[in-house]
Amino acid sequence: MREMPAANPIIYDSSKCIGCNRCMEVCQVDIFIPNPEKGKHPIVAYPGECWYCGCCVMECPVEGAIELRHPLMNKVHWVEKSILMKNNKE
Amino acid sequence: MYDYKWPYPLEYDREEIINADVLVLGGGIAGCMAAIAAARAGQKVLLVEKGATKRSGAGGSGCDHWESAATNPCSKVTPEELTQAMLHDNDGFNNGISHYIECREGYDRLLDIEKMGGKIRDTEDEFVGAEFRDDGTKFMFAYDYENRFTLRIWGTTFKPAMYKELKRLGVNIVDRVMVTSLLTEDGIQGARCVGATGIHTRTGKFYIFNAKSSIICMSRPARIWLFSAELPGLCEFRPPQCIGDGHAMGWRAGAEFTMMEKSVRAEFSAAGRSYPPYGAGNNHNTWYAASIIDSRGKEIPYADRDGNILKDVKDRFRPAKGQKFFMKGGGIDFPKYEIEGPETLPFSKMIEEGYKLPFYADLTDLPEEERKVIWGMMVGQEGKTKVPIYQNYTRQGFDPSKHVLQCYGAGWTSASFLPQERQLFGLPGGFFNDWTLGTNIDGLYVAGDALYASDCYGHAAATGYYAGRHAAKYAKVNELKHWDKKQVEDEKRRVYAPLKNDSERGIGWKELNMAIAKTMQNYCGEIKYDDLLKVGLSRLKEYEENIIPQTFAYNPHELIRLLEVFDILTVSKIIIEASLARKISMKSLCFVRGDSIEDDSSKEKLIVIKQYDGKVVTREVPVNYFGDLKENYEKHNQDYI
Ligand SMILES: Cc1cc2nc3c(=O)[nH]c(=O)nc-3n(C[C@H](O)[C@H](O)[C@H](O)COP(=O)(O)OP(=O)(O)OC[C@H]3O[C@@H](n4cnc5c(N)ncnc54)[C@H](O)[C@@H]3O)c2cc1C
Ligand code: SF4
Ligand code: SF4
């Protein structure tokens, strides 16, 4: 049985990841465990403990193999300034 | 809810003993610099880190500004002026010794880090001619462009550079080990420190570290009032494994603390309340001096300390008329008039005048180099910004020359907390230190955010290096003393006990942390009452006596999380004891009592507190106990000068 976590900080692209575990070894919170299948990306065992620092992504040798995603509630909004200015005129 | 088997060998009953001259506990900024200093002094150094030293600690992922580099060639202020300003800004309730070290040696550390491979200058000439750049040295300054004592730096390069230097110097780095207790001579509380114990976070193996001198660099407490079981990693500003283990083990060993009654209404990073630091609209620190606009695009004016509206963006970086210098950054929350810098007009005033919410941070109209230095350098080099903010927002289409970023919470801060949701933030309490950064325990030194009234990267680096020097000096003239067998056996029993409890009826680390946080909110919230504090203390003692024996952990990872919560419980007790010891409200410590109407601000005394023989012992010390800064610094550091 599995349960969806409150947030899913790490998303892997299995087609790119070479399974080197460098992301896992640099994480100071140690949220990962190695994959029992050799050569596959680590498993996020403790997703809630992620500090969202990005060091795992900074350490990865393959562009795009690992992605860090803020929880939805932390998604910050932005808008084009010109749209705000238009609102002002209306 | 995974079905995976624990992937590492379980070594709960195994023991490893490691000897050294100097033992560094915690491998963040202060710890790395302490180890480097001690190794350079010819000592055999052992560094123990709970995470992975390469990127661990609050500053592991980056840092965008280095404060108080008063001795850099462009600075127009002296270390004495700057330290005095910091002391005055807090009515004396600040660490004169550690901040003087920061001002006096911070720039030396910056040059050190450059030699190790860290980037501290605009060597690519990206910002040639910008007003914040000195074209001679290629240094880039922040905030006060006239006085030039805070540098913008490429902090993402720093921690890996320090890590490389540690290895080059032959420091023995032990990663993934949580330090759990200090060892004292003959096991006596308050006696000389002879080392520490630890437990491996993946295998559960037990470690005994035996050393001539030890340095505590394990940052400061957290998760005392704030906890989210779903997102414990986002509860606080600093990394989730930094929760004050050092304070708890120091307390048990009989070390002295001060200002532990100080806490502030939470400001940052409690899961759910705030937005990603430096990732939402604001105009502080990293984002100084972004423009702030309302939702019609109307700009909120900046004003100087006298309320004069500043028309030109350039004026946001200049002291006011008649002002020598102004200060911004980590330790500056509500600056006094003397050092108050330019600021956007108050939120409440803007609402009165009909400005429309929400507000936004606007870089579109800034001069190009100001926009580029905020978005791309500061946001990018600052901790936790390179990947989650700079890269991700850019990929999602954010363009700082077109888009404006929304502000949340009251005004342009990124969160709004309840009064009882508190944090040790903005120069909180910690270990009490002397001029060697030594504690009352012989052979035990402290550096970085673990010191009382401390904050910031440069402060951690400077005090780390300084403590490393003095601990090395101690180690040179003192013999290695053996540890006490009984003390080690007692500690082993303590740390492994939860594994032997009943899993079905067991209480996990999150349940206990949540209960402590609620207790602290209820009994030690914004306004303190003796009667409530005492009830709170007895609740915590109940947890200690009746609940801890029922706790359970499935594996080494959960075990260290649980041991952390035991430490959170100990720190909560220190905070209540310190609050009980201060009988009268004191604004300078954000300390409010409901059962005393007086304000004690004129009575400038630190309450120094420790535990001895199961009892709490307090003494009063004048806030300026450290005497003349320059004179005492020079007395203790002849070999460095
Ligand atoms: C996102 C962010 C941005 C920041 N930006 C800036 C900035 O731009 N400028 C600035 O001046 N300051 C900045 N700071 C503050 C600065 O990073 C800290 O003040 C500084 O890192 C403190 O150094 P330290 O060594 O005391 O603690 P840390 O660097 O946090 O190191 C503490 C270390 O101790 C380890 N540890 C904890 N408990 C144990 C244990 N029981 N056993 C073994 N090891 C343990 C931890 O794993 C950690 O590695 C920022 C902080 C954050 C969080
Ligand atoms: S973002 Fe940081 S805390 Fe989260 S998994 Fe990556 S390295 Fe670990
Ligand atoms: S560092 Fe990158 S390539 Fe290596 S395991 Fe992690 S995601 Fe895969």
Side-chain angles (χ1 to χ4, degrees), chain A residues 5-18:
Chain A
N8 218 343
I10 302 296
I11 300 142
Y12 284 108
D13 183 338
S14 303
S15 70
K16 291 186 179 149
C17 169
I18 55 167

Side-chain angles (χ1 to χ4, degrees), chain A residues 3-53:
Chain A
E3 181 190 19
M4 283 301 280
N8 218 343
I10 302 296
I11 300 142
Y12 284 108
D13 183 338
S14 303
S15 70
K16 291 186 179 149
C17 169
I18 55 167
C20 67
N21 284 348
R22 281 171 67 170
C23 48
M24 178 182 95
E25 292 305 347
V26 83
C27 176
Q28 61 179 313
V29 196
D30 212 11
I31 78 164
F32 305 96
I33 54 170
N35 200 313
E37 264 187 75
K38 274 229 152 58
K40 292 223 158 144
H41 65 71
I43 289 152
V44 184
Y46 297 99
E49 294 174 24
C50 179
W51 189 47
Y52 295 86
C53 63

Side-chain angles (χ1 to χ4, degrees), chain A residues 25, chain B residues 16 18-20 22-28 31-36 39 44-56 159-177 179 200 207 209:
Chain A
E25 292 305 347
Chain B
E16 186 173 337
I18 310 180
N19 292 337
V22 177
L23 171 63
V24 180
L25 306 169
C32 287
M33 294 308 285
I36 289 168
K44 191 171 139 196
V45 183
L46 170 62
L47 183 150
V48 186
E49 161 59 40
K50 203 197 275 180
T53 304
K54 188 172 182 190
R55 285 283 184 194
S56 63
K159 199 74 201 301
M162 290 178 195
Y163 184 60
K164 230 171 68 200
E165 177 70 0
L166 288 167
K167 287 185 145 173
R168 196 185 68 81
L169 289 166
V171 170
N172 184 1
I173 304 169
V174 179
D175 277 348
R176 307 282 177 205
V177 169
V179 180
H200 199 279
Y207 286 82
F209 305 114

Side-chain angles (χ1 to χ4, degrees), chain B residues 251 254-257 440 608-612 615-618:
Chain B
W251 179 254
E256 285 186 327
F257 292 83
N440 59 312
V608 175
I609 183 167
K610 71 170 180 180
Q611 182 190 232
Y612 186 70
K615 291 202 183 61
V616 172
V617 185
T618 60

Side-chain angles (χ1 to χ4, degrees), chain B residues 157-356:
Chain B
T157 62
F158 283 17
K159 199 74 201 301
M162 290 178 195
Y163 184 60
K164 230 171 68 200
E165 177 70 0
L166 288 167
K167 287 185 145 173
R168 196 185 68 81
L169 289 166
V171 170
N172 184 1
I173 304 169
V174 179
D175 277 348
R176 307 282 177 205
V177 169
M178 170 183 183
V179 180
T180 65
S181 76
L182 297 174
L183 296 171
T184 49
E185 196 169 351
D186 299 324
I188 295 168
Q189 194 176 42
R192 180 180 161 194
C193 180
V194 297
T197 62
I199 182 166
H200 199 279
T201 66
R202 290 177 172 178
T203 68
K205 188 172 158 190
F206 195 84
Y207 286 82
I208 298 165
F209 305 114
N210 191 195
K212 295 174 185 166
S213 58
S214 305
I215 313 170
I216 291 205
C217 305
M218 290 177 276
S219 191
R220 62 167 78 143
R223 296 205 321 252
I224 307 286
W225 291 267
L226 302 172
F227 190 67
S228 152
E230 294 286 18
L231 298 173
L234 282 183
C235 287
E236 294 255 9
F237 186 59
R238 282 169 167 69
Q241 84 281 9
C242 296
I243 44 72
D245 296 324
H247 290 55
M249 67 186 79
W251 179 254
R252 292 196 295 267
E256 285 186 327
F257 292 83
T258 193
M259 279 173 51
M260 290 302 289
E261 65 275 31
K262 179 178 177 183
S263 65
V264 297
R265 187 190 286 208
E267 295 175 9
F268 264 125
S269 294
R273 289 247 188 246
S274 67
Y275 282 80
Y278 320 106
N282 77 100
N283 61 341
H284 289 116
N285 278 32
T286 299
W287 284 78
Y288 190 78
S291 297
I292 300 287
I293 58 171
D294 81 349
S295 53
R296 301 162 304 176
K298 194 165 164 176
E299 189 168 314
I300 289 140
Y302 271 82
D304 69 11
R305 62 177 182 173
D306 299 307
N308 301 312
I309 302 294
L310 306 176
K311 294 214 176 62
D312 197 335
V313 172
K314 285 187 174 161
D315 295 333
R316 298 175 191 175
F317 306 100
R318 287 193 191 119
K321 234 191 180 148
Q323 185 178 34
K324 171 99 205 274
F325 60 92
F326 72 83
M327 290 174 80
K328 296 251 173 205
I332 311 292
D333 243 358
F334 302 102
K336 287 215 164 81
Y337 182 75
E338 285 82 348
I339 59 153
E340 189 179 350
E343 190 57 79
T344 36
L345 291 176
F347 176 67
S348 51
K349 189 163 187 277
M350 292 298 94
I351 299 299
E352 260 169 46
E353 290 189 9
Y355 280 75
K356 279 180 81 72

Side-chain angles (χ1 to χ4, degrees), chain B residues 542-556:
Chain B
E542 251 170 67
Y543 292 156
E544 207 166 48
E545 282 157 25
N546 304 325
I547 302 302
I548 285 186
Q550 298 180 50
T551 52
F552 181 78
Y554 278 110
N555 58 46

Side-chain angles (χ1 to χ4, degrees), chain B residues 554-603:
Chain B
Y554 278 110
N555 58 46
H557 181 91
E558 287 195 9
L559 181 62
I560 61 130
R561 290 282 109 92
L562 187 56
L563 294 172
E564 287 172 354
V565 180
F566 294 176
D567 286 343
I568 290 172
L569 179 54
T570 302
V571 172
S572 302
K573 278 170 52 191
I574 308 177
I575 291 169
I576 295 193
E577 293 287 7
S579 302
L580 281 166
R582 193 168 285 284
K583 294 294 174 204
I584 298 173
S585 299
M586 179 154 306
K587 213 166 146 205
S588 329
L589 293 173
C590 308
F591 184 79
V592 185
R593 269 195 172 264
D595 50 11
S596 134
I597 39 166
E598 290 168 74
D599 187 290
D600 204 9
S601 293
S602 60
K603 200 173 160 230

